Amino acid sequence: MTENFSHEDQMEQARKRVQAKLGFLKHFLIYIVVIAFLAVVNNLTYGGYQWWPWPALGWGIGVVANFLSAWVFVGGGRLEETLMRQEMDRMDRTDRR
Amino acid sequence: MKLGSLNLIGVLALLLTLALIGGALFLILNDRGSYGIPGAFSQDLLDEGRELFEPGVTGLELYTVAGPITVESWDRPETQVIWEKRGSEAARDRIKIDIRRNGSRLTVREEWPAGSVNVQGWVVLKVMVPAGTEELRATSISGAVKVLGDSASLSGINQELKTTSGALSTDGAKELTASSVSGAIRFRAYGEKVEAETVSGSIQGSVLGEEDGEIRLSSVSGSVTLGLYEAWGGQVSLRSVSGSLHSALPLILESQERNRLTGRLNQGKGTASLKTTSGAIRLEKGAR
């Protein structure tokens, strides 16, 4: 039972991590396409004031944060696993009573 | 796709994003004065230039879009054009000052290439004119137009001044045509023909020449005040729909209604028509 849970949990966690990484790549591609589009619109309508760097900057920070959550700060999954194990133990103890 | 490839692509995407953020920051910090606000590394907001023209210029045609035009008389025989381009660096790069001399005629125009809508920049134009200048046409779309100097040297210049939202003023003109939409008009003229019209600005002027000419002043919501020299003679018509009418000159009344007054001043062939819808009208004695 415990092994089953652990395996499913690991599967679920791996699935989430891969989804997060693929999600980041989608996010990145959308970011590049939209910013390129804004830069083209900016320069086609009038080439004076370049306003497209503002969304590129703000959104870029969001993309970096997305990368960090998908690759670097993945400890949340372990915490979730630990808490779930504790919760399962508590439920087992309650059932035994 | 292998997991290692996914990680590699992710890191490359991150590096590209960081490069884009760096580029965006660079552009933002190097933006020099867009919307008139200096960027973090901005050095200056204006480019100056001047050009001196040999004597012989008697006609001037000046045009700016948003900046003011100042024409000033001086005691030198040359004509000098001084301009300042102001605004963002991109705008200053785009603005061209087109100066052409064709015989005795000098044309100065602010020009923008196509596709420059909403670029924040303008030209401040100043022209020093010698005695002997005969004609001036100055048009600014939204800037003020001023003609400065002593009345004697300006009184020989026929002037046509136009703006949409700026004020118009001349310290002296021979014949004058001045039109604005929302700006006030102030003038002193010596010629036979004076015409000034504005929509929401007031008009205040004096006609001080020896000849009895044609004067037409018209505003919609502003007041109209005209000073005439004592010997001016001719037909006078004052009309205000909802404002007051007042004459400080000895007007011989011919007809008087609630909002209209016609009469005659001295003997002469001149005509003076002052009209407004909601402002006051005053006829005064002009001082030379």
Side-chain angles (χ1 to χ4, degrees), chain A residues 21 25 28 46 49 60 67 71, chain B residues 6-7 13-14 17 21 34 117:
Chain A
K21 289 175 180 179
L25 288 181
F28 169 75
Y46 61 93
Y49 179 58
F67 174 87
W71 262 274
Chain B
L6 181 63
N7 289 338
L14 173 71
T17 307
I21 290 173
S34 293
V117 179

Side-chain angles (χ1 to χ4, degrees), chain A residues 17-18 21-22 24-25 28 31-32 35 43-54 56-57 59-61 63-64 67-68 71, chain B residues 1 3 6-7 9-14 16-18 20-21 23-25 27-28 31 34-35 88 90-91 94 115-119:
Chain A
R17 286 185 188 181
V18 170
K21 289 175 180 179
L22 289 173
F24 164 78
L25 288 181
F28 169 75
Y31 169 69
I32 291 293
I35 293 301
N43 285 281
L44 281 183
T45 50
Y46 61 93
Y49 179 58
Q50 297 291 309
W51 46 261
W52 66 267
W54 289 100
L57 178 66
W59 194 356
I61 291 169
V63 173
V64 172
F67 174 87
L68 293 176
W71 262 274
Chain B
M1 181 189 282
L3 187 62
L6 181 63
N7 289 338
I9 293 169
V11 171
L12 288 176
L14 173 71
L16 202 56
T17 307
L18 289 173
L20 203 53
I21 290 173
L25 264 176
L27 286 173
I28 290 167
D31 177 41
S34 293
Y35 300 112
S88 68
R94 284 181 157 234
S116 301
V117 179
N118 290 336
V119 179

Side-chain angles (χ1 to χ4, degrees), chain A residues 48-49, chain B residues 31-36 45 86-93 119-122:
Chain A
Y49 179 58
Chain B
D31 177 41
R32 293 184 178 179
S34 293
Y35 300 112
L45 289 174
R86 296 193 183 184
S88 68
E89 188 177 28
R92 284 180 281 126
D93 286 344
V119 179
Q120 302 295 312
W122 65 97

Side-chain angles (χ1 to χ4, degrees), chain B residues 212-256:
Chain B
D212 306 327
E214 183 185 349
I215 302 164
R216 288 200 297 162
L217 309 180
S218 161
S219 176
V220 174
S221 59
S223 60
V224 177
T225 304
L226 174 66
L228 286 173
Y229 78 101
E230 285 177 278
W232 190 90
Q235 193 78 21
V236 174
S237 167
L238 313 179
R239 184 176 182 181
S240 174
V241 175
S242 60
S244 61
L245 304 174
H246 174 80
S247 173
L249 296 174
L251 197 63
I252 302 162
L253 284 177
E254 293 177 346
S255 72
Q256 186 172 12

